[in-house]
Amino acid sequence: MCGIVGYIGHRNAIPIVIEGIKRLEYRGYDSSGVAVIGSENTLGLFRRQGKVIELERSLPAPSKSAGNVAIAHTRWATHGEPSERNAHPHTNCEKTLAVAHNGIIENFKALRDRLEAEGCVFASETDTEVLPHLIGFFRQKGLDLTEAVRETLQLVDGTYGIAVVDTEQPDRIVAARKGSPLILGIGDDEFFVTSDVSAIIIHTKKVIYLEDREIVTVRRDGFEISTLDNISVEGKVSIVEWDVSSIDKGPYKHFMLKEIFEQPESVANAFRGRIADSLSTARLGGLGLPPQELRRIKQIQIIACGTSWHAGLIGSYIIEDIARVPVRVEYAGEYRYRNPIIPEDTLVLVISQSGETADTLAALREARARGVRVLGLTNVVGSTIARETDGGVYIHAGAEIGVASTKAFTSQVTVLTLLAVLLGRMRHLSPLEGAEILNELKHIPDKIQTILDMNVEIRAIAASMVDDRNALYLGRGVHYPVALEGALKLKEISYIHAEGYPAAEMKHGPIALIDKEMPVVAIAMRDALYDKIVSNLQEVKARHGRLITIVDGLDDQIEALSDHTLCIPATLPTLQPLLSVIPLQLLAYHVADLRNMNVDQPRNLAKSVTVE
Ligand code: G6P
C-alpha cells in the first residue's frame, strides 16, 4: 500500500523517483521521502509529512541534491503516526545507508530491544527502522551491502519489499521482497526498482517481477538476482502491456471519473475473444482445466476483499442460477483464520484487482496448502496472486488508479458471468440459453454508454444528497450486492455513512432510521421480484424517506413514490448488475466531488492493502 521507486543510471535521479512516487500516491499518502547518493558520496535525505508535492516543494536546488542513485517512498502509516520522522527512507545511526520499506516487520519489537541494548538510538517509531540499523551492523562486520541485507532479512519475520542505498557502496541499489511486490525495471544503461509498474512505465516496459525471498543487486551496468539462501536466479523478463495513456487523467477531473467512463471499453475487453459463438459457450483458456475437471466441480468457494468481494457475491448469484453449482463467498481475512472446510471437488476462486491483497494472498496459500486447486481473477499481470494460483483469468481492465474500484468491478462481474455460462453449458444450460446470454453481453457496452450519457442528470440527483449524513441502499436478489457496492462507493469517497441491505431486511432494523433526512437509493428492476420491492419502497415513503430509484422501465407507481428516478436500459436479469451499478458509481462520484473531497485519494484508504 506504500510505494517505492528507486533509480540508478546516468540521469538526475531525484526528479525521476519523485515523479514515480507521485504516480503511486494512490497507494498510500500520509508522508513521503527520498534518499539520494550525492556526487561526493554523501547521503541526501529529504522527508515530509503530507502529499508528495510538499516533499517536492521542500527539496533544495538541483545543484544541492543532484545524484544518479536514489530511492523514494510514499507511506501509509502502520507503526507510528504520519509525521516527518516516521517517513521513509530510514537510516542507520551513522547515516551512511537508507532503507525504504513496504510491509510490516512483525518481530520488530524484539529486534529493536536488542539493538537498543547495544546502544543503537532510534529516530522513529516505525517497525522499518530496525532494518537500516541491522544492515549497518552487518556492514560494520565487513559484509558487502547485498550480504548485509541478506543477513538482516534472515532475522526478520513479516513482509517486506525494500530498497537500500549505501554511501560506502554508492554504485548500487539492493532490493528484496517477501509478501510485498517488488519489480526491477530494465532501461538503457539505467535501472529502476518499484513496488508498482505504473511508476516506471513512462521509462521502460521491460521488467522482472521478483519472487518472494529474492534479492537483487542493481548497478548501472547490470544486475544479479539471488535467493535469501544465496542461490543465483535468472529472472524472467516480462513486457508490461499497459499503455502509458492509462496512467494519465486525460480530460477528466479525476481518475475515478475517467475509469467509470472507460467501462464500455473495459467490459468489452473482459469478454473479447472469450465467446465461442459456434458452441454458445465461453472460452477461458487461462483456467487450465480440461472440460472433464470443470464438469466435476461440485462447489465453488470465492474468496476476496472489498469491492472484489461484492463482485464475488454477484458471481455467486449468477453461477448458482445459470450453472446450478453451489457457491460460498468468503471474506479473505476471515477465511484464512477460520479453518475452512473444503470438500472434495471444490474449486477455490480468489478475486483481486491488484493481485497483491495480503489477506487474499494468505487465503489462497491456505487453500493451496490443503491441496486444493485455486484459480484467480486478477487485473495486474505478473502480480503475486496471478503467479501463485494454479490458473485463472485476467480481467484486462487496464490500470485502475482511483482508490475506489469501478471498472475492475464490472470487468470482474463480466468474467464471472462468462464462467457461469461455461459451467452452465457443461450442465443444464441449453445452447439457446447460452447464446441468449452471450449475445446480450455483447450489447452491454453500448447500454453502459447510454447510462454514462445520463451523467448530468445523475449529478443533479447527487446535489440533493450533498448535505446528508447517512444513506441506505436497497436491492433484492442479485441487486443486493449491487446495493452493498453502491453504499461502499459512497462511504469510501464522500465519507457519508451508507449501508446496503437486501430490501426485505429493511424492516428488521434499518427502517427505524428512516425519516425525511434519510435518502434511500433503491434498485427496482422489472424482474420477478418487482412487486416485492415496490412494497418495500412504499414502507420507506410511508416514513417520509427520500427515494432515489434505479429502474429499467417507468410506471406511475414508481414515479409517484420516487423523489428522483433514473431509467436505465433493460437487459437480461443475469446481466443487470453490469448496468445497475453504473449510476451508483456516478452518484457516489458526484456527491464526493460536490463536497470537494479528494475523490481519487480518500483519507485512510489505500488501493492495494498489502498488510493484514
Ligand atoms: C482496498 C481497496 C478496494 C479494494 C480492496 C480489495 O480496500 O481500497 O477498492 O476493493 O482493497 O483489493 P483487491 O486488489 O484485492 O481487489
Side-chain angles (χ1 to χ4, degrees), residues 391-406:
V393 189
Y394 284 117
I395 60 170
H396 296 314
E400 189 182 67
I401 307 288
V403 163
S405 183
T406 51

Side-chain angles (χ1 to χ4, degrees), residues 85-105:
R85 72 194 199 99
N86 287 335
H88 298 215
H90 291 284
T91 65
N92 58 340
C93 294
E94 294 74 25
K95 300 209 172 352
T96 52
L97 59 89
V99 178
H101 167 229
N102 289 353
I104 292 181
I105 308 298

